[in-house]
Amino acid sequence: MDEVAALELRSVDLQSSRNNKEHHTQEMGLKRLIVRRGQLFTLQLHFNRPFQFQTDHITFVAETGPAPMELLGTRAIFSLTQARPGNVWSASDFTIDSDSLFVSLFTPANAVIGSYTLKIEMSQGQGHSSTHPLGTFILLFNPWSAEDDVHLPSEALLREYILMDYGFVYKGHKRFITAWPWNYGQFEEDIIDICFEILNKSLYFLQNPSKDCSQRNDVVYVCRVVSAMINSNDDRGVLQGNWGEDYSMGVSPLEWNGSVAILRQWSARGGQPVKYGQCWVFAAVMCTVMRCLGVPTRVVSNFRSAHNADGNLTIDTYYNRNAEMLPNQKQDKIWNFHVWNECWMIRKDLPPGYNGWQVLDPTPQQTSSGLFCCGPASVKAIKEGEVQLAYDTPFVYAEVNADEVIWLFGDGQAQEILAHNTSSIGNEISTKMVGSDQRQNITSSYKYPEGSPEERSVFMKASQKMLGPGRASSPFLDLLGSRDFQDQPAQLQLHLARMPEWGRDLLLKLHARRVADRAHPRAPIRLEVRFCVQALLHKGGAREPLWRQTVRLNLDFGQEIEWPLLLPFNNYGNKLTEEKLIRVSGIAKVKETGRSMLVLKDISLEPPHLSIKASERAEVGKALGVHITLTNNLTVALSNCVMVLEGSGLIDGQISNELGTLLPGHTLQIQLDLYPIKAGPRQLQVLISSNEVKEIKGYQDIFVAAAGAS
């Protein structure tokens, strides 16, 4: 009997195109193998002769990280078997076709994610063995697998939170929320490599590469590393924060359209932090990275978000007699809005009941285990006040639940409580609705209805855990308990008389109504109301006053008065921050009692509106006509206008055009052709910035047909 020739490997087909489609990674490209853990993928091995299972022995070796070890889970050795042995590395389900062997490889649902090399060791009987490289593949989390800790059992949710590469960030303030289009771009071909570059530049990896890689099977660990690496406070992270107003050394946070340009710049410059980010930029970039790695992720905005540095669950704000908001000497602040992420996962490190959405916040606010990161904190734990559960739950609980106490300050001390607001913090918590461009209010996921017995009960439980049982004996709480500041002889409200547009005078009305009180139940009263207008800073606090006015009113019992207030554009035009947000404050002194009342109104000024129209039909590789219109309906010119277009699948990178100056009353009309790159639902993001207004944004949803589709 002739001796069978030694088995020799002639070629390998990783079947990237087929495997990537089955693993929902085809958007990242079809040229290299990108698969998800806990799911089979198929290889074709071509030999010099037919494979014989009884005598030819094949062993596969998969390795990741700088020093792969089986003990650490970064090296796996597994032989060809006829049946799959469970949730372990395996090669099975093989078929033999002439000189080819088709074999299915399985990676366990708790495998380390990363870039792997795959080798094969071949031998016959007890004879000589040889090793051959088969190639490389990237392994990601798998939310389609019921065995994976990130499993999300809904195709609609998976389409939104993994496969959708564009979305919205919600900004503004709680009564005027604006949707900002954002290009996540997680499937651009180089983004997956940049995501692992981010992990490989973390302090954890630099200190102990082998240990760090071995922990990348744990989504909680990976999320914390990414949260720390999106900001650059401790490390060579992606973005440098800037909450000042000088962005001359980089790009204003308002001028980013998406994550791709940021991530590419960070990588191209060897890990130098990109200038500049603020909370919505940090969160949007983290959303890109986590969706790319396979973790269901969304961007969440919290309006009037507390930064409670001392953990006492109250934020103190101070005004003087002239209604001027004073600088707060403490770290405590109320941000106009704050943006973070939620990632979906099982929390095996917590007691049962806290799986699902977890808060992760890459904005550098405070340290956690020595690094500037935050989370994951279970949204369910936040709602139930279980602030003892990891990670950083007390901080996030305060962001949405702290009480606001407003004081009248004079003669070097707090003199009088003007208001105690139990519901002014943590409003309109918002994210993009699944399968829609609409906003979804998810406040009820974070807390029970304001003022309900459940909400106050949870607040007391969380307070006792954070502050200890002795909390109830402070002089401040005694003062609050008296509630004298709530017994007021008049009701004051500020209303906008017309839409507030930047570039126009603002018209407001003070509505005053005399009501009964204990001191002067039905007598007339005299009010002196001092008004002050200040530009609000994003991280809380305000600039110097830019307008003042004093109004004197006489009110009989039951009488209502409306008093107009006019804020000329000349007073505020060049004195606002780029976010164009102002606060109108009024403090009314009651002559008869000497007591004070507070009335507030925050106003977000609307920028001009863009109009974007695209051809009715879009097809891969064919010209798509786009028409962009901007009319300057302001009283001032917009100088140094620059337009930036972005949209994954529509444009490779960005298109940027300088447009010059747009005079008042004039219209810009821009016509251009795009050549779509990928089929499916896409979004074109357009930003026009100028010296006067940084954020004139618009978007157009476009469905792109495949090439040659009729």
Side-chain angles (χ1 to χ4, degrees), residues 353-355 357-358 377-386 445 448:
Y354 299 101
N355 299 333
W357 290 116
Q358 314 286 321
S378 162
V379 173
K380 182 71 185 298
I382 294 160
K383 182 171 183 174
E384 300 300 336
E386 300 296 347
S445 300
Y448 291 97

Side-chain angles (χ1 to χ4, degrees), residues 87-123:
N87 189 36
V88 293
W89 288 87
S90 60
S92 59
D93 303 331
F94 64 90
T95 58
I96 300 167
D97 180 9
S98 184
D99 293 346
S100 288
L101 175 70
F102 293 85
V103 59
S104 295
L105 268 58
F106 181 81
T107 61
N110 59 350
V112 167
I113 64 163
S115 181
Y116 280 80
T117 59
L118 187 62
K119 296 181 290 191
I120 187 171
E121 293 179 356
M122 302 186 303
S123 64

Side-chain angles (χ1 to χ4, degrees), residues 245-545:
E245 293 166 58
D246 179 7
Y247 306 118
S248 58
M249 301 298 290
V251 175
S252 162
L254 294 169
E255 292 184 54
W256 296 112
N257 263 347
S259 308
V260 177
I262 294 168
L263 290 166
R264 283 177 174 166
Q265 181 182 317
W266 175 81
S267 177
R269 297 184 181 177
Q272 287 296 317
V274 176
K275 300 174 180 177
Y276 293 104
Q278 289 184 10
C279 63
W280 67 92
V281 188
F282 289 115
V285 172
M286 180 157 183
C287 183
T288 296
V289 173
M290 297 317 299
R291 284 186 185 180
C292 186
L293 294 176
V295 181
T297 304
R298 60 189 186 182
V299 173
V300 173
S301 297
N302 177 37
F303 291 88
R304 301 210 81 232
S305 185
H307 181 170
N308 187 209
D310 56 14
N312 65 354
L313 287 176
T314 59
I315 306 289
D316 297 311
T317 310
Y318 300 92
Y319 289 83
N320 64 18
R321 291 274 175 204
N322 295 319
E324 179 183 346
M325 184 181 176
L326 301 174
N328 192 341
Q329 301 307 313
K330 297 198 300 180
Q331 291 270 309
D332 286 12
K333 296 281 189 300
I334 301 173
W335 293 30
N336 305 325
F337 66 93
H338 184 49
V339 186
W340 57 65
N341 301 98
E342 286 179 3
C343 293
W344 181 273
M345 68 190 75
I346 290 171
R347 291 295 301 274
K348 291 176 179 173
D349 58 322
L350 299 183
Y354 299 101
N355 299 333
W357 290 116
Q358 314 286 321
V359 171
L360 284 130
D361 189 350
T363 299
Q365 294 183 85
Q366 68 169 22
T367 58
S368 173
S369 302
L371 292 180
F372 277 94
C373 65
C374 179
S378 162
V379 173
K380 182 71 185 298
I382 294 160
K383 182 171 183 174
E384 300 300 336
E386 300 296 347
V387 293
Q388 77 283 3
L389 298 177
Y391 289 86
D392 310 303
T393 309
F395 185 79
V396 183
Y397 180 86
E399 286 183 301
V400 298
N401 283 297
D403 285 359
E404 178 186 21
V405 182
I406 302 176
W407 299 84
L408 181 65
F409 193 86
D411 300 326
Q413 62 181 5
Q415 297 178 328
E416 187 180 340
I417 292 179
L418 297 170
H420 171 217
N421 299 324
T422 60
S423 60
S424 67
I425 287 170
N427 300 145
E428 295 290 332
I429 303 175
S430 301
T431 193
K432 178 185 176 296
M433 194 174 285
V434 173
S436 161
D437 286 354
Q438 299 302 304
R439 180 178 67 89
Q440 182 181 359
N441 186 327
I442 57 170
T443 309
S444 61
S445 300
Y446 281 83
K447 51 187 177 180
Y448 291 97
E450 292 286 2
S452 67
E454 297 94 337
E455 184 264 339
R456 281 291 100 183
S457 169
V458 167
F459 186 84
M460 292 310 296
K461 175 169 72 172
S463 300
Q464 288 175 352
K465 287 180 179 180
M466 290 170 69
L467 306 172
R471 175 185 188 273
S473 60
S474 73
F476 155 69
L477 283 171
D478 294 341
L479 191 53
L480 274 183
S482 71
R483 297 287 171 184
D484 285 347
F485 62 90
Q486 291 185 333
D487 182 41
Q488 299 288 11
Q491 292 175 346
L492 302 177
Q493 289 180 308
L494 282 167
H495 299 287
L496 283 164
R498 63 178 178 226
M499 277 295 288
E501 295 182 65
W502 189 86
R504 298 184 180 277
D505 297 346
L506 298 180
L507 183 60
L508 298 99
K509 288 182 180 175
L510 170 68
H511 183 90
R513 177 169 173 260
R514 174 74 171 98
V515 293
D517 66 310
R518 288 200 299 268
H520 301 82
R522 292 177 174 273
I525 60 168
R526 293 167 296 161
L527 300 178
E528 181 184 82
V529 192
R530 296 184 183 184
F531 288 100
C532 175
V533 173
Q534 293 168 279
L536 281 181
L537 304 173
H538 176 68
K539 281 181 74 171
R543 280 184 172 177
E544 291 295 308

Side-chain angles (χ1 to χ4, degrees), residues 62-76 89 112 116 209-216:
E63 297 179 328
T64 188
M69 291 175 61
E70 282 185 89
L71 190 63
L72 293 176
T74 50
R75 186 172 198 251
W89 288 87
V112 167
Y116 280 80
S210 296
K211 182 182 178 186
D212 173 73
C213 285
S214 74
Q215 292 180 278
R216 292 182 189 175

Side-chain angles (χ1 to χ4, degrees), residues 12-26:
V12 182
D13 180 2
L14 297 180
Q15 305 209 329
S16 301
S17 179
R18 171 188 164 185
N19 287 320
N20 289 9
K21 286 173 183 172
E22 290 180 355
H23 286 248
H24 306 93
T25 62
Q26 70 270 27

Side-chain angles (χ1 to χ4, degrees), residues 485-684:
F485 62 90
Q486 291 185 333
D487 182 41
Q488 299 288 11
Q491 292 175 346
L492 302 177
Q493 289 180 308
L494 282 167
H495 299 287
L496 283 164
R498 63 178 178 226
M499 277 295 288
E501 295 182 65
W502 189 86
R504 298 184 180 277
D505 297 346
L506 298 180
L507 183 60
L508 298 99
K509 288 182 180 175
L510 170 68
H511 183 90
R513 177 169 173 260
R514 174 74 171 98
V515 293
D517 66 310
R518 288 200 299 268
H520 301 82
R522 292 177 174 273
I525 60 168
R526 293 167 296 161
L527 300 178
E528 181 184 82
V529 192
R530 296 184 183 184
F531 288 100
C532 175
V533 173
Q534 293 168 279
L536 281 181
L537 304 173
H538 176 68
K539 281 181 74 171
R543 280 184 172 177
E544 291 295 308
L546 51 87
W547 179 89
R548 297 183 191 274
Q549 187 171 326
T550 301
V551 173
R552 292 176 177 82
L553 303 174
N554 296 321
L555 281 175
D556 293 327
F557 180 75
Q559 184 182 8
E560 295 186 32
I561 292 177
E562 277 198 346
W563 192 278
L565 299 169
L566 182 71
L567 173 57
F569 173 64
N570 290 342
N571 279 73
Y572 74 80
N574 60 351
K575 296 175 182 172
L576 303 185
T577 68
E578 291 183 351
E579 287 189 60
K580 308 283 190 271
L581 193 63
I582 64 175
R583 173 166 295 173
V584 183
S585 315
I587 290 186
K589 186 169 184 179
V590 184
K591 293 289 187 183
E592 286 71 19
T593 64
R595 298 283 306 284
S596 300
M597 292 185 292
L598 176 72
V599 61
L600 297 174
K601 183 76 173 176
D602 289 350
I603 302 171
S604 181
L605 299 172
E606 275 228 69
H609 289 278
L610 275 176
S611 166
I612 307 167
K613 291 184 178 174
S615 309
E616 283 189 19
R617 178 167 170 76
E619 185 178 325
V620 170
K622 291 194 175 177
L624 170 68
V626 176
H627 189 77
I628 299 163
T629 308
L630 173 64
T631 299
N632 183 0
N633 52 9
L634 309 177
T635 57
V636 294
L638 299 176
S639 57
N640 292 324
C641 294
V642 177
M643 178 182 73
V644 178
L645 278 72
E646 193 167 327
S648 286
L650 296 171
I651 299 167
D652 184 12
Q654 296 177 322
I655 296 173
S656 183
N657 287 329
E658 294 184 5
L659 305 175
T661 297
L662 182 57
L663 297 171
H666 286 224
T667 298
L668 266 175
Q669 301 214 33
I670 300 140
Q671 182 79 40
L672 73 161
D673 286 340
L674 303 178
Y675 292 84
I677 305 158
K678 293 180 180 179
R682 304 292 164 194
Q683 188 186 77
L684 176 66

